[in-house]
Amino acid sequence: MNIGEIARRAGVARSTVSYALSGKRPVAEATAKRINDVISELGYRPNASARALAEGRTRTLGLVIPPAGARLTGVQLGFVAGVVEAAAAHDLDVLVSPSGGRHDRSFERIVAGRRVDGVVLMEILLDDPRVARLEDSGLPFVTIGHVQDPGASWWVDVDYAALIRRCVHHLADLGHEEVVLVNRSAELVASGYGPAARSTAGFLEAAGERGVRAHVVTCPDEPGAGFACFEDIRTRLPG
């Protein structure tokens, strides 16, 4: 079934059907109703590729997640679900793609191939080449997290440094003299992962202001690792 058949049955020109489907030009209410009635009767669904060519847009967003081999945390899965829900509310699809390491080609295909209308990029490093690549491409994007110098780019983030500073001041107010920051994994910290770096900076700054002894440890995002890390802290740092 194609636009020509719809036009024939509705008694209108092909271009009128095209305008009714795309919304590019106004169509008389009675004519639009006749076209929609025929579409409903025939069960017509426009071809997504043809529609993308005609409209100059894919009606798809790219969501770039951490490497597929890495297990997503509950918080990360919450971000993914939030993006998918918000996109669906605007009649948009979401193309989920991993990045990092051997997955960089997948990210490049999304950008260079213009397979999406815009990109949401998760897990940002202080110096993130993916952000620079998107800036060069001219493809609209927003990041969950931000690079060291975000410039005019659009991003959403938590103020990790302020959050951790408040935690340290709270513990110091309670009279504690030795505090520990349990940070993300050693690999993420070494990679320049933004939240981990900002948390450490805020922690050490506040500890210095309050004169408390500060320790930073790293811990993978797994319950078992969390228990082991806590037991290690209790053994090495009983204070």
Side-chain angles (χ1 to χ4, degrees):
M1 186 56 58
N2 55 40
I3 287 180
E5 179 63 16
I6 294 171
R8 186 183 67 78
R9 295 199 182 200
V12 298
R14 288 173 59 97
S15 59
T16 304
V17 176
S18 178
Y19 296 148
L21 291 173
S22 67
K24 284 187 174 182
R25 291 187 185 179
V27 175
E29 185 176 343
T31 303
K33 182 180 184 307
R34 197 158 67 248
I35 291 171
N36 286 328
D37 287 345
V38 171
I39 288 173
S40 297
E41 179 187 341
L42 299 176
Y44 172 78
R45 293 291 182 274
N47 179 278
S49 298
R51 184 176 180 182
L53 286 172
E55 296 183 358
R57 56 186 300 204
T58 65
R59 300 198 64 80
T60 301
L61 299 179
L63 174 59
V64 182
I65 63 173
R71 186 172 64 185
L72 297 183
T73 66
V75 173
Q76 292 169 330
L77 288 173
F79 282 130
V80 172
V83 170
V84 171
E85 277 191 34
H90 292 277
D91 196 26
L92 299 174
D93 295 323
V94 177
L95 174 62
V96 179
S97 175
S99 70
R102 68 181 186 279
H103 300 291
D104 283 340
R105 285 188 299 176
S106 175
F107 173 71
E108 183 59 29
R109 282 196 300 272
I110 286 179
V111 178
R114 295 283 169 164
R115 300 172 64 184
V116 297
D117 296 327
V119 174
V120 178
L121 190 62
M122 291 177 58
E123 304 293 13
I124 307 301
L125 307 179
L126 293 177
D127 181 16
D128 201 314
R130 299 172 304 170
V131 174
R133 176 69 181 93
L134 285 168
E135 288 176 336
D136 290 341
S137 74
L139 190 66
F141 72 97
V142 62
T143 62
I144 302 176
H146 66 282
V147 293
Q148 185 71 44
D149 182 15
S153 65
W154 292 86
W155 51 272
V156 181
D157 206 355
V158 173
D159 189 343
Y160 289 96
L163 174 66
I164 298 298
R165 282 198 297 267
R166 291 183 63 181
C167 292
V168 173
H169 285 301
H170 174 68
L171 292 173
D173 288 342
L174 294 175
H176 296 290
E177 299 177 348
E178 189 169 9
V179 293
V180 179
L181 170 66
V182 181
N183 212 329
R184 300 293 296 276
S185 70
E187 293 78 13
L188 273 178
V189 172
S191 72
Y193 179 56
R198 295 184 180 94
S199 296
T200 301
F203 177 74
L204 296 177
E205 179 184 353
E209 292 172 357
R210 299 302 296 268
V212 299
R213 295 190 299 280
H215 309 275
V216 179
V217 300
T218 58
C219 182
D221 296 318
E222 300 171 2
F227 283 116
C229 180
F230 181 67
E231 290 302 324
D232 181 61
I233 291 170
R234 291 207 304 175
T235 300
R236 293 191 300 109
L237 307 167

